[in-house]
Amino acid sequence: MIAIAKSLEIRTVNIVRREEVIAELKSLGADVVLVDGPGLAKRVAAETGGAPIGLALDVVGGPSTLNLMNCLAPKGVLVIYSGVSGQPFSGSAPSVIFNEISVRGFWLGHWRKTATDDAIAKMYDHLVPMVASGAISPPVVASYNLDGFSDAIAQAAAFKGKVILTPN
């Protein structure tokens, strides 16, 4: 997401759950990286000079969703596309009502089924050169041949990166 945002000249505020990943995100070009927790909205405002945050992407769920929602400017949009915490997301009715915050879900499979051919082509036209140049690439944590299928599944279940299966 950081590389794609940069290619579109969009600055990013990245919220992480563990301090040890801050340097990694900074090395990928993240503009601001903060650890989730109490007072997040005030810390985001301090780091951005109070810039209005119009979009938040939530991959975690649980109380992190509320923290992201609290960072959004009026009429901002919160997009939930995963829930790695395994917890239901938390939100704020007053933020939705009085700040007109929108909460949306996104699933790539659904988008792919409903997007026009032109929209899909535009997406690939933007992403393919980025993949070809190495600007974006999935983190590969392990490679297994087909005999190691069980180990590959166990590794993939850890959600720490992509697992590659190769022919024997």
Side-chain angles (χ1 to χ4, degrees), residues 26-45:
K26 287 282 194 177
S27 75
L28 294 172
D31 297 300
V32 175
V33 184
L34 299 169
V35 178
D36 192 11
L40 180 64
K42 287 182 181 179
R43 292 185 284 131
V44 167

Side-chain angles (χ1 to χ4, degrees), residues 27-70:
S27 75
L28 294 172
D31 297 300
V32 175
V33 184
L34 299 169
V35 178
D36 192 11
L40 180 64
K42 287 182 181 179
R43 292 185 284 131
V44 167
E47 288 290 327
T48 63
I53 307 296
L55 174 66
L57 305 176
D58 183 18
V59 66
V60 177
S64 295
T65 307
L66 178 59
N67 291 342
L68 289 176
M69 185 180 279
N70 289 337

Side-chain angles (χ1 to χ4, degrees), residues 16 19 22 32 61 74 156 168:
V16 298
E19 197 165 309
I22 291 174
V32 175
N168 290 343

Side-chain angles (χ1 to χ4, degrees), residues 95-117:
S95 290
V96 171
I97 296 166
F98 300 117
N99 291 333
E100 299 182 82
I101 300 297
S102 297
V103 179
R104 299 197 43 126
F106 177 79
W107 178 45
L108 185 60
H110 177 70
W111 178 84
R112 179 64 181 92
K113 290 179 189 174
T114 59
T116 65
D117 289 343

Side-chain angles (χ1 to χ4, degrees), residues 1-10 12 126-127 130 135-136:
M1 294 303 285
I2 294 167
I4 294 168
K6 284 225 168 289
S7 76
L8 298 169
E9 298 181 358
I10 298 171
T12 63
H126 189 83
L127 295 180
M130 294 181 75
I136 58 174

